Amino acid sequence: MEAIVYETFGGPEVLRHSRVGKPEPGPGQVRVKVMAAGVNPVDYKIRYGWMDAFYPTTLPAVPGLEFAGVVDAVGEGVTHTGAGAEVLGWTTTGAYAEYALAGDIAAKPAGLSWERAASLPVAGETAQRVLDLLRVKSGETLLVHGAAGVVGSVAVQLAVAAGVTVVGTASEANHGHLRALGATPVRYGDGLAERVRQAAPRGVDAVLDAAGQGVLPLSIELLGGAERVVTIADPNAADHGVVFSAGGTEPRAVRTGLAEHARLAAEGLLDVRIAEVFPLADAAKAHELSEAGHARGKLIIRP
Ligand SMILES: NC(=O)c1ccc[n+]([C@@H]2O[C@H](COP(=O)([O-])OP(=O)(O)OC[C@H]3O[C@@H](n4cnc5c(N)ncnc54)[C@H](OP(=O)(O)O)[C@@H]3O)[C@@H](O)[C@H]2O)c1
C-alpha cells in the first residue's frame, strides 16, 4: 500500500511517499481503508522527535493519529463492527496511509463528509477533556487562547452550547469566524489583558490555553490564581503551577465523545472549518502549513 513514512526524526523533508506492507488485523483489531486523515500539530512535533514521553515512536513511522474510513477487515473476535462500516476514530499504525489499524472508533453518520469526520477525533476529545477538567458551567466566562484553531474552535462551540460566555484570542482575520461561533474575539499580543478585561468586564472564570504562546502568567493574573487554567500547548506549564493536559481519557469515554461529536457535526451543531485537502504525496506541504501555526482550519490528507 502507499503510505507516508519517515525513517529519521527531522523537518518535513524526512517524510517519504513510500510503498509498505498492509497492516494485518490481529485478534480484536480492525483494519480500515483510510478515506481522510486529519493533520494535527502533534504530527510534526512527533516527527521532530519532541514527543517521545507521550508518544514513544519506533522508526520507521507513519504519521497521523486520526482518520475517517471504511472497515475492510476485522481480526478474530471483533463483533462491534464489520467490513463495509463507515467509521471515524484513532489509529494505532498511522493515518497517512491507504490502510490503518483502528484504535477507538465510532460509526460515521451518513451525512458527514470524510473530511469533516476526520477532523473530529483529536479536537473533540481534547476540547471535551479540557472543558471537563476546568469544570466550566453555564453562566461562567471562559477565555480561550488560540480560539480560531481547530481545538480552540471546537472548545468554543461546546462551551457556548453549554451556556458559557466565551472570549477567544485570534488574529483579526479570524474575528468574524469567532463571532459566528458565538465567542467575543480579542486580538492577541501586547495589551491582551486589558482587551480581555474590556471584553469580559465581570472577569473570566477559567482559561484554556490552546496556543502555547507564553500566555500563562497573564492568564493567572486575570484569574487571580492558576487553579482554573489548563494548557494543552505550553511545555512550561509546570513552571507556572499550571496543569498541562496531555490526554489519557479512558477508551469508553473517548468512544462516547466521538459518537456524540459525530452526531453534533452531522446535525450542523458542531463545525470544523476545512482549510485545505492534500493528496498523500503532499503530506510534507501539509506539515509545513501546520507548523507555520496559522492554518485557517483543519488540514486533511486524502490517501
Ligand atoms: N495536549 C493535547 O492533548 C493536545 C491535543 C491537541 C492539540 N494540542 C496542541 O494544541 C495546539 C493547537 O492545536 P490545533 O490543532 O488547534 O492547532 P491549529 O488548528 O493549527 O491552531 C493554531 C491556532 O493558534 C493560533 N495562534 C497562533 N499564534 C497565536 C498566538 N500568539 N496567540 C493566540 N493564538 C495564536 C492561530 O490563530 P491565528 O491564525 O488567528 O493566529 C491558529 O488558529 C497545538 O500546539 C497542538 O499541538 C494539544
PDB file of all heavy atoms in Angstrom, residues 47-79:
ATOM      1  N   ARG A  47       7.207  14.020  14.648  1.00  0.00           N
ATOM      2  CA  ARG A  47       8.173  13.852  13.548  1.00  0.00           C
ATOM      3  C   ARG A  47       9.539  14.445  13.894  1.00  0.00           C
ATOM      4  O   ARG A  47      10.584  13.911  13.504  1.00  0.00           O
ATOM      5  CB  ARG A  47       7.590  14.508  12.287  1.00  0.00           C
ATOM      6  CG  ARG A  47       8.312  14.203  10.993  1.00  0.00           C
ATOM      7  CD  ARG A  47       8.074  15.320   9.997  1.00  0.00           C
ATOM      8  NE  ARG A  47       8.672  16.545  10.461  1.00  0.00           N
ATOM      9  CZ  ARG A  47       8.132  17.765  10.319  1.00  0.00           C
ATOM     10  NH1 ARG A  47       6.993  17.927   9.697  1.00  0.00           N
ATOM     11  NH2 ARG A  47       8.764  18.824  10.804  1.00  0.00           N
ATOM     12  N   TYR A  48       9.552  15.540  14.664  1.00  0.00           N
ATOM     13  CA  TYR A  48      10.830  16.129  15.101  1.00  0.00           C
ATOM     14  C   TYR A  48      11.481  15.307  16.219  1.00  0.00           C
ATOM     15  O   TYR A  48      12.637  15.539  16.571  1.00  0.00           O
ATOM     16  CB  TYR A  48      10.608  17.558  15.626  1.00  0.00           C
ATOM     17  CG  TYR A  48      10.631  18.628  14.550  1.00  0.00           C
ATOM     18  CD1 TYR A  48       9.517  19.427  14.335  1.00  0.00           C
ATOM     19  CD2 TYR A  48      11.769  18.847  13.782  1.00  0.00           C
ATOM     20  CE1 TYR A  48       9.535  20.423  13.366  1.00  0.00           C
ATOM     21  CE2 TYR A  48      11.794  19.851  12.814  1.00  0.00           C
ATOM     22  CZ  TYR A  48      10.676  20.632  12.608  1.00  0.00           C
ATOM     23  OH  TYR A  48      10.702  21.609  11.656  1.00  0.00           O
ATOM     24  N   GLY A  49      10.701  14.389  16.823  1.00  0.00           N
ATOM     25  CA  GLY A  49      11.236  13.594  17.935  1.00  0.00           C
ATOM     26  C   GLY A  49      11.069  14.278  19.283  1.00  0.00           C
ATOM     27  O   GLY A  49      11.722  13.915  20.254  1.00  0.00           O
ATOM     28  N   TRP A  50      10.133  15.270  19.346  1.00  0.00           N
ATOM     29  CA  TRP A  50       9.958  16.044  20.582  1.00  0.00           C
ATOM     30  C   TRP A  50       8.992  15.390  21.574  1.00  0.00           C
ATOM     31  O   TRP A  50       8.876  15.853  22.698  1.00  0.00           O
ATOM     32  CB  TRP A  50       9.376  17.437  20.270  1.00  0.00           C
ATOM     33  CG  TRP A  50      10.232  18.319  19.433  1.00  0.00           C
ATOM     34  CD1 TRP A  50      11.590  18.218  19.231  1.00  0.00           C
ATOM     35  CD2 TRP A  50       9.795  19.467  18.679  1.00  0.00           C
ATOM     36  NE1 TRP A  50      12.009  19.223  18.400  1.00  0.00           N
ATOM     37  CE2 TRP A  50      10.933  20.007  18.048  1.00  0.00           C
ATOM     38  CE3 TRP A  50       8.551  20.078  18.490  1.00  0.00           C
ATOM     39  CZ2 TRP A  50      10.868  21.132  17.226  1.00  0.00           C
ATOM     40  CZ3 TRP A  50       8.483  21.199  17.671  1.00  0.00           C
ATOM     41  CH2 TRP A  50       9.631  21.720  17.050  1.00  0.00           C
ATOM     42  N   MET A  51       8.246  14.368  21.124  1.00  0.00           N
ATOM     43  CA  MET A  51       7.095  13.927  21.927  1.00  0.00           C
ATOM     44  C   MET A  51       7.259  12.520  22.491  1.00  0.00           C
ATOM     45  O   MET A  51       6.275  11.890  22.858  1.00  0.00           O
ATOM     46  CB  MET A  51       5.820  13.959  21.053  1.00  0.00           C
ATOM     47  CG  MET A  51       5.449  15.293  20.502  1.00  0.00           C
ATOM     48  SD  MET A  51       5.138  16.546  21.767  1.00  0.00           S
ATOM     49  CE  MET A  51       3.567  16.007  22.415  1.00  0.00           C
ATOM     50  N   ASP A  52       8.496  12.028  22.573  1.00  0.00           N
ATOM     51  CA  ASP A  52       8.680  10.629  22.939  1.00  0.00           C
ATOM     52  C   ASP A  52       8.086  10.268  24.302  1.00  0.00           C
ATOM     53  O   ASP A  52       7.678   9.131  24.518  1.00  0.00           O
ATOM     54  CB  ASP A  52      10.152  10.234  22.863  1.00  0.00           C
ATOM     55  CG  ASP A  52      10.326   9.037  21.940  1.00  0.00           C
ATOM     56  OD1 ASP A  52       9.611   8.980  20.914  1.00  0.00           O
ATOM     57  OD2 ASP A  52      11.135   8.148  22.271  1.00  0.00           O
ATOM     58  N   ALA A  53       8.024  11.249  25.215  1.00  0.00           N
ATOM     59  CA  ALA A  53       7.473  10.955  26.548  1.00  0.00           C
ATOM     60  C   ALA A  53       5.982  10.599  26.437  1.00  0.00           C
ATOM     61  O   ALA A  53       5.478   9.767  27.193  1.00  0.00           O
ATOM     62  CB  ALA A  53       7.649  12.163  27.456  1.00  0.00           C
ATOM     63  N   PHE A  54       5.275  11.234  25.481  1.00  0.00           N
ATOM     64  CA  PHE A  54       3.831  10.992  25.349  1.00  0.00           C
ATOM     65  C   PHE A  54       3.515   9.981  24.249  1.00  0.00           C
ATOM     66  O   PHE A  54       2.564   9.225  24.348  1.00  0.00           O
ATOM     67  CB  PHE A  54       3.096  12.303  25.042  1.00  0.00           C
ATOM     68  CG  PHE A  54       3.240  13.343  26.116  1.00  0.00           C
ATOM     69  CD1 PHE A  54       3.927  14.522  25.887  1.00  0.00           C
ATOM     70  CD2 PHE A  54       2.684  13.134  27.374  1.00  0.00           C
ATOM     71  CE1 PHE A  54       4.060  15.481  26.874  1.00  0.00           C
ATOM     72  CE2 PHE A  54       2.806  14.080  28.375  1.00  0.00           C
ATOM     73  CZ  PHE A  54       3.500  15.254  28.128  1.00  0.00           C
ATOM     74  N   TYR A  55       4.293  10.030  23.165  1.00  0.00           N
ATOM     75  CA  TYR A  55       4.056   9.142  22.025  1.00  0.00           C
ATOM     76  C   TYR A  55       5.364   8.451  21.655  1.00  0.00           C
ATOM     77  O   TYR A  55       6.048   8.884  20.716  1.00  0.00           O
ATOM     78  CB  TYR A  55       3.545   9.926  20.802  1.00  0.00           C
ATOM     79  CG  TYR A  55       2.219  10.609  20.996  1.00  0.00           C
ATOM     80  CD1 TYR A  55       2.147  11.933  21.406  1.00  0.00           C
ATOM     81  CD2 TYR A  55       1.026   9.924  20.765  1.00  0.00           C
ATOM     82  CE1 TYR A  55       0.928  12.564  21.596  1.00  0.00           C
ATOM     83  CE2 TYR A  55      -0.201  10.547  20.942  1.00  0.00           C
ATOM     84  CZ  TYR A  55      -0.235  11.869  21.356  1.00  0.00           C
ATOM     85  OH  TYR A  55      -1.448  12.493  21.531  1.00  0.00           O
ATOM     86  N   PRO A  56       5.759   7.401  22.405  1.00  0.00           N
ATOM     87  CA  PRO A  56       7.002   6.708  22.060  1.00  0.00           C
ATOM     88  C   PRO A  56       6.919   6.233  20.608  1.00  0.00           C
ATOM     89  O   PRO A  56       5.934   5.599  20.216  1.00  0.00           O
ATOM     90  CB  PRO A  56       7.026   5.519  23.031  1.00  0.00           C
ATOM     91  CG  PRO A  56       6.040   5.854  24.097  1.00  0.00           C
ATOM     92  CD  PRO A  56       5.025   6.780  23.503  1.00  0.00           C
ATOM     93  N   THR A  57       7.912   6.586  19.800  1.00  0.00           N
ATOM     94  CA  THR A  57       7.826   6.338  18.357  1.00  0.00           C
ATOM     95  C   THR A  57       8.931   5.393  17.908  1.00  0.00           C
ATOM     96  O   THR A  57      10.103   5.644  18.174  1.00  0.00           O
ATOM     97  CB  THR A  57       7.954   7.667  17.584  1.00  0.00           C
ATOM     98  OG1 THR A  57       6.957   8.553  18.082  1.00  0.00           O
ATOM     99  CG2 THR A  57       7.764   7.491  16.090  1.00  0.00           C
ATOM    100  N   THR A  58       8.538   4.310  17.257  1.00  0.00           N
ATOM    101  CA  THR A  58       9.517   3.386  16.688  1.00  0.00           C
ATOM    102  C   THR A  58       9.659   3.733  15.211  1.00  0.00           C
ATOM    103  O   THR A  58       8.663   3.836  14.504  1.00  0.00           O
ATOM    104  CB  THR A  58       9.002   1.933  16.820  1.00  0.00           C
ATOM    105  OG1 THR A  58       8.593   1.732  18.171  1.00  0.00           O
ATOM    106  CG2 THR A  58      10.088   0.929  16.462  1.00  0.00           C
ATOM    107  N   LEU A  59      10.900   3.933  14.759  1.00  0.00           N
ATOM    108  CA  LEU A  59      11.138   4.249  13.348  1.00  0.00           C
ATOM    109  C   LEU A  59      11.409   2.962  12.568  1.00  0.00           C
ATOM    110  O   LEU A  59      11.975   2.038  13.136  1.00  0.00           O
ATOM    111  CB  LEU A  59      12.339   5.196  13.230  1.00  0.00           C
ATOM    112  CG  LEU A  59      12.150   6.545  13.931  1.00  0.00           C
ATOM    113  CD1 LEU A  59      13.442   7.350  13.897  1.00  0.00           C
ATOM    114  CD2 LEU A  59      11.011   7.341  13.303  1.00  0.00           C
ATOM    115  N   PRO A  60      11.023   2.862  11.293  1.00  0.00           N
ATOM    116  CA  PRO A  60      10.288   3.869  10.531  1.00  0.00           C
ATOM    117  C   PRO A  60       8.855   4.018  11.047  1.00  0.00           C
ATOM    118  O   PRO A  60       8.278   3.066  11.555  1.00  0.00           O
ATOM    119  CB  PRO A  60      10.321   3.313   9.102  1.00  0.00           C
ATOM    120  CG  PRO A  60      10.517   1.845   9.250  1.00  0.00           C
ATOM    121  CD  PRO A  60      11.315   1.644  10.493  1.00  0.00           C
ATOM    122  N   ALA A  61       8.307   5.229  10.876  1.00  0.00           N
ATOM    123  CA  ALA A  61       6.967   5.516  11.395  1.00  0.00           C
ATOM    124  C   ALA A  61       6.085   6.122  10.315  1.00  0.00           C
ATOM    125  O   ALA A  61       6.580   6.788   9.396  1.00  0.00           O
ATOM    126  CB  ALA A  61       7.077   6.487  12.563  1.00  0.00           C
ATOM    127  N   VAL A  62       4.798   5.885  10.428  1.00  0.00           N
ATOM    128  CA  VAL A  62       3.787   6.529   9.572  1.00  0.00           C
ATOM    129  C   VAL A  62       3.061   7.552  10.447  1.00  0.00           C
ATOM    130  O   VAL A  62       2.558   7.202  11.504  1.00  0.00           O
ATOM    131  CB  VAL A  62       2.774   5.481   9.041  1.00  0.00           C
ATOM    132  CG1 VAL A  62       1.681   6.160   8.224  1.00  0.00           C
ATOM    133  CG2 VAL A  62       3.473   4.407   8.217  1.00  0.00           C
ATOM    134  N   PRO A  63       3.016   8.843  10.034  1.00  0.00           N
ATOM    135  CA  PRO A  63       2.347   9.830  10.888  1.00  0.00           C
ATOM    136  C   PRO A  63       0.820   9.717  10.847  1.00  0.00           C
ATOM    137  O   PRO A  63       0.276   9.043   9.969  1.00  0.00           O
ATOM    138  CB  PRO A  63       2.784  11.170  10.287  1.00  0.00           C
ATOM    139  CG  PRO A  63       3.553  10.881   9.063  1.00  0.00           C
ATOM    140  CD  PRO A  63       3.564   9.410   8.806  1.00  0.00           C
ATOM    141  N   GLY A  64       0.189  10.446  11.762  1.00  0.00           N
ATOM    142  CA  GLY A  64      -1.275  10.573  11.690  1.00  0.00           C
ATOM    143  C   GLY A  64      -1.986   9.795  12.762  1.00  0.00           C
ATOM    144  O   GLY A  64      -1.873   8.573  12.830  1.00  0.00           O
ATOM    145  N   LEU A  65      -2.758  10.513  13.598  1.00  0.00           N
ATOM    146  CA  LEU A  65      -3.460   9.875  14.713  1.00  0.00           C
ATOM    147  C   LEU A  65      -4.918   9.582  14.402  1.00  0.00           C
ATOM    148  O   LEU A  65      -5.523   8.748  15.046  1.00  0.00           O
ATOM    149  CB  LEU A  65      -3.441  10.803  15.941  1.00  0.00           C
ATOM    150  CG  LEU A  65      -2.101  11.216  16.523  1.00  0.00           C
ATOM    151  CD1 LEU A  65      -2.330  12.163  17.697  1.00  0.00           C
ATOM    152  CD2 LEU A  65      -1.330   9.987  16.973  1.00  0.00           C
ATOM    153  N   GLU A  66      -5.511  10.325  13.447  1.00  0.00           N
ATOM    154  CA  GLU A  66      -6.980  10.248  13.287  1.00  0.00           C
ATOM    155  C   GLU A  66      -7.366  10.071  11.825  1.00  0.00           C
ATOM    156  O   GLU A  66      -6.654  10.513  10.930  1.00  0.00           O
ATOM    157  CB  GLU A  66      -7.640  11.508  13.862  1.00  0.00           C
ATOM    158  CG  GLU A  66      -7.222  12.775  13.146  1.00  0.00           C
ATOM    159  CD  GLU A  66      -7.728  14.059  13.800  1.00  0.00           C
ATOM    160  OE1 GLU A  66      -8.558  14.010  14.716  1.00  0.00           O
ATOM    161  OE2 GLU A  66      -7.286  15.137  13.347  1.00  0.00           O
ATOM    162  N   PHE A  67      -8.526   9.471  11.627  1.00  0.00           N
ATOM    163  CA  PHE A  67      -8.952   9.159  10.260  1.00  0.00           C
ATOM    164  C   PHE A  67     -10.473   9.071  10.195  1.00  0.00           C
ATOM    165  O   PHE A  67     -11.149   8.927  11.224  1.00  0.00           O
ATOM    166  CB  PHE A  67      -8.381   7.791   9.827  1.00  0.00           C
ATOM    167  CG  PHE A  67      -9.045   6.653  10.550  1.00  0.00           C
ATOM    168  CD1 PHE A  67     -10.195   6.058  10.030  1.00  0.00           C
ATOM    169  CD2 PHE A  67      -8.599   6.253  11.788  1.00  0.00           C
ATOM    170  CE1 PHE A  67     -10.857   5.054  10.738  1.00  0.00           C
ATOM    171  CE2 PHE A  67      -9.259   5.258  12.504  1.00  0.00           C
ATOM    172  CZ  PHE A  67     -10.380   4.656  11.972  1.00  0.00           C
ATOM    173  N   ALA A  68     -10.971   9.077   8.978  1.00  0.00           N
ATOM    174  CA  ALA A  68     -12.323   8.579   8.705  1.00  0.00           C
ATOM    175  C   ALA A  68     -12.159   7.599   7.556  1.00  0.00           C
ATOM    176  O   ALA A  68     -11.353   7.836   6.647  1.00  0.00           O
ATOM    177  CB  ALA A  68     -13.263   9.718   8.313  1.00  0.00           C
ATOM    178  N   GLY A  69     -12.864   6.492   7.590  1.00  0.00           N
ATOM    179  CA  GLY A  69     -12.678   5.490   6.551  1.00  0.00           C
ATOM    180  C   GLY A  69     -13.677   4.359   6.654  1.00  0.00           C
ATOM    181  O   GLY A  69     -14.670   4.437   7.392  1.00  0.00           O
ATOM    182  N   VAL A  70     -13.368   3.291   5.889  1.00  0.00           N
ATOM    183  CA  VAL A  70     -14.290   2.152   5.781  1.00  0.00           C
ATOM    184  C   VAL A  70     -13.595   0.913   6.335  1.00  0.00           C
ATOM    185  O   VAL A  70     -12.466   0.604   5.931  1.00  0.00           O
ATOM    186  CB  VAL A  70     -14.660   1.922   4.294  1.00  0.00           C
ATOM    187  CG1 VAL A  70     -15.657   0.775   4.172  1.00  0.00           C
ATOM    188  CG2 VAL A  70     -15.234   3.191   3.671  1.00  0.00           C
ATOM    189  N   VAL A  71     -14.272   0.211   7.221  1.00  0.00           N
ATOM    190  CA  VAL A  71     -13.695  -1.031   7.763  1.00  0.00           C
ATOM    191  C   VAL A  71     -13.539  -2.008   6.605  1.00  0.00           C
ATOM    192  O   VAL A  71     -14.474  -2.238   5.833  1.00  0.00           O
ATOM    193  CB  VAL A  71     -14.613  -1.635   8.853  1.00  0.00           C
ATOM    194  CG1 VAL A  71     -14.087  -3.002   9.292  1.00  0.00           C
ATOM    195  CG2 VAL A  71     -14.724  -0.673  10.033  1.00  0.00           C
ATOM    196  N   ASP A  72     -12.315  -2.575   6.453  1.00  0.00           N
ATOM    197  CA  ASP A  72     -12.151  -3.508   5.336  1.00  0.00           C
ATOM    198  C   ASP A  72     -11.774  -4.906   5.794  1.00  0.00           C
ATOM    199  O   ASP A  72     -11.909  -5.858   5.043  1.00  0.00           O
ATOM    200  CB  ASP A  72     -11.185  -2.904   4.297  1.00  0.00           C
ATOM    201  CG  ASP A  72      -9.808  -3.496   4.336  1.00  0.00           C
ATOM    202  OD1 ASP A  72      -9.154  -3.385   5.385  1.00  0.00           O
ATOM    203  OD2 ASP A  72      -9.411  -4.091   3.333  1.00  0.00           O
ATOM    204  N   ALA A  73     -11.311  -5.055   7.041  1.00  0.00           N
ATOM    205  CA  ALA A  73     -11.033  -6.400   7.566  1.00  0.00           C
ATOM    206  C   ALA A  73     -11.060  -6.324   9.082  1.00  0.00           C
ATOM    207  O   ALA A  73     -10.683  -5.308   9.668  1.00  0.00           O
ATOM    208  CB  ALA A  73      -9.665  -6.876   7.082  1.00  0.00           C
ATOM    209  N   VAL A  74     -11.513  -7.413   9.706  1.00  0.00           N
ATOM    210  CA  VAL A  74     -11.507  -7.429  11.176  1.00  0.00           C
ATOM    211  C   VAL A  74     -10.786  -8.680  11.660  1.00  0.00           C
ATOM    212  O   VAL A  74     -10.818  -9.730  11.009  1.00  0.00           O
ATOM    213  CB  VAL A  74     -12.939  -7.378  11.781  1.00  0.00           C
ATOM    214  CG1 VAL A  74     -13.629  -6.083  11.404  1.00  0.00           C
ATOM    215  CG2 VAL A  74     -13.753  -8.593  11.388  1.00  0.00           C
ATOM    216  N   GLY A  75     -10.116  -8.551  12.813  1.00  0.00           N
ATOM    217  CA  GLY A  75      -9.427  -9.687  13.398  1.00  0.00           C
ATOM    218  C   GLY A  75     -10.404 -10.572  14.155  1.00  0.00           C
ATOM    219  O   GLY A  75     -11.580 -10.226  14.344  1.00  0.00           O
ATOM    220  N   GLU A  76      -9.869 -11.703  14.591  1.00  0.00           N
ATOM    221  CA  GLU A  76     -10.667 -12.678  15.331  1.00  0.00           C
ATOM    222  C   GLU A  76     -11.331 -12.029  16.558  1.00  0.00           C
ATOM    223  O   GLU A  76     -10.703 -11.224  17.255  1.00  0.00           O
ATOM    224  CB  GLU A  76      -9.667 -13.746  15.803  1.00  0.00           C
ATOM    225  CG  GLU A  76     -10.256 -15.028  16.271  1.00  0.00           C
ATOM    226  CD  GLU A  76      -9.133 -15.893  16.873  1.00  0.00           C
ATOM    227  OE1 GLU A  76      -8.054 -15.983  16.253  1.00  0.00           O
ATOM    228  OE2 GLU A  76      -9.360 -16.427  17.975  1.00  0.00           O
ATOM    229  N   GLY A  77     -12.598 -12.357  16.762  1.00  0.00           N
ATOM    230  CA  GLY A  77     -13.277 -11.907  17.984  1.00  0.00           C
ATOM    231  C   GLY A  77     -13.903 -10.524  17.895  1.00  0.00           C
ATOM    232  O   GLY A  77     -14.523 -10.081  18.849  1.00  0.00           O
ATOM    233  N   VAL A  78     -13.771  -9.848  16.729  1.00  0.00           N
ATOM    234  CA  VAL A  78     -14.374  -8.500  16.629  1.00  0.00           C
ATOM    235  C   VAL A  78     -15.858  -8.645  16.288  1.00  0.00           C
ATOM    236  O   VAL A  78     -16.209  -9.268  15.286  1.00  0.00           O
ATOM    237  CB  VAL A  78     -13.672  -7.654  15.536  1.00  0.00           C
ATOM    238  CG1 VAL A  78     -14.440  -6.354  15.285  1.00  0.00           C
ATOM    239  CG2 VAL A  78     -12.245  -7.364  15.935  1.00  0.00           C
ATOM    240  N   THR A  79     -16.711  -8.096  17.143  1.00  0.00           N
ATOM    241  CA  THR A  79     -18.150  -8.203  16.899  1.00  0.00           C
ATOM    242  C   THR A  79     -18.827  -6.831  16.806  1.00  0.00           C
ATOM    243  O   THR A  79     -19.954  -6.728  16.350  1.00  0.00           O
ATOM    244  CB  THR A  79     -18.840  -8.995  18.052  1.00  0.00           C
ATOM    245  OG1 THR A  79     -18.471  -8.366  19.277  1.00  0.00           O
ATOM    246  CG2 THR A  79     -18.408 -10.455  18.058  1.00  0.00           C
TER     247      THR A  79
END
